[in-house]
Amino acid sequence: MTKSPRGVRVRRAVCRALFVVGGVITLVCVLLPIACWRDDVAIERSMGQAVAQVDSVSFNRTVVRYATPDGRVIIPSQGVLYPDGLKVGDNVRVEYDQTNPELTRVAGRTATLSLLPVGTFLVSVWIVIAAVVTVLRRFGVRV
């Protein structure tokens, strides 16, 4: 058995590493909608409804405040699920898990909203990986 040139071995290692990274990203992208669906099921199992006020909106979290029928004021620490389009000061209907009011979503929105952005991101990642692997294999770029 003859040893491959160093450049070939490096290109193969880079290709394998890209496929591993792509696999991990794919796994996360598959688990994300599953987690959203699980949260939706928990909310629907013991659903409460309220009108919430949007207190803050940031890149990673939208904070809302609402009162439950027993008078408790709830401010979910992780924010509200499916907050797209909300602005500070908005009043919005929310649905929450009565056994865990921290789990709150905007009324009428479900895990299906996660499919398009996750799918688009996943397709983009694999297009980039395929392009890099093609360049490495076809053109024999020396690394």
Side-chain angles (χ1 to χ4, degrees), residues 47-58:
M47 186 185 301
Q49 297 182 338
V51 174
Q53 181 177 4
V54 179
D55 286 343
S56 74
V57 176
S58 65

Side-chain angles (χ1 to χ4, degrees), residues 42-130:
I43 290 170
E44 289 164 8
R45 212 176 272 143
S46 177
M47 186 185 301
Q49 297 182 338
V51 174
Q53 181 177 4
V54 179
D55 286 343
S56 74
V57 176
S58 65
F59 171 74
N60 61 341
R61 181 172 69 150
T62 299
V63 177
V64 298
R65 172 190 316 260
Y66 63 93
T68 61
D70 61 1
R72 292 185 303 156
V73 174
I74 305 295
I75 303 171
S77 61
Q78 298 300 313
V80 67
L81 298 172
Y82 321 119
D84 191 42
L86 299 181
K87 295 181 219 83
V88 174
D90 284 353
N91 287 325
V92 61
R93 294 197 54 74
V94 294
E95 300 167 339
Y96 62 93
D97 180 356
Q98 291 179 335
T99 61
N100 176 16
E102 286 282 317
L103 188 56
T104 304
R105 70 179 179 197
V106 175
R109 298 182 183 180
T110 63
T112 56
L113 290 175
S114 68
L115 296 177
L116 182 62
V118 168
T120 303
F121 174 73
L122 193 55
V123 167
S124 301
V125 165
W126 280 106
I127 287 172
V128 170
I129 289 173

Side-chain angles (χ1 to χ4, degrees), residues 5-75:
R6 184 169 188 265
V8 172
R9 287 189 312 234
V10 170
R11 284 194 302 275
R12 284 184 189 154
V14 169
C15 289
R16 286 186 188 126
L18 286 171
F19 285 128
V20 168
V21 168
V24 170
I25 291 172
T26 299
L27 178 63
V28 170
C29 286
V30 167
L31 292 177
L32 182 63
I34 292 171
C36 292
W37 173 77
R38 189 202 67 199
D39 288 344
D40 286 349
V41 168
I43 290 170
E44 289 164 8
R45 212 176 272 143
S46 177
M47 186 185 301
Q49 297 182 338
V51 174
Q53 181 177 4
V54 179
D55 286 343
S56 74
V57 176
S58 65
F59 171 74
N60 61 341
R61 181 172 69 150
T62 299
V63 177
V64 298
R65 172 190 316 260
Y66 63 93
T68 61
D70 61 1
R72 292 185 303 156
V73 174
I74 305 295
I75 303 171

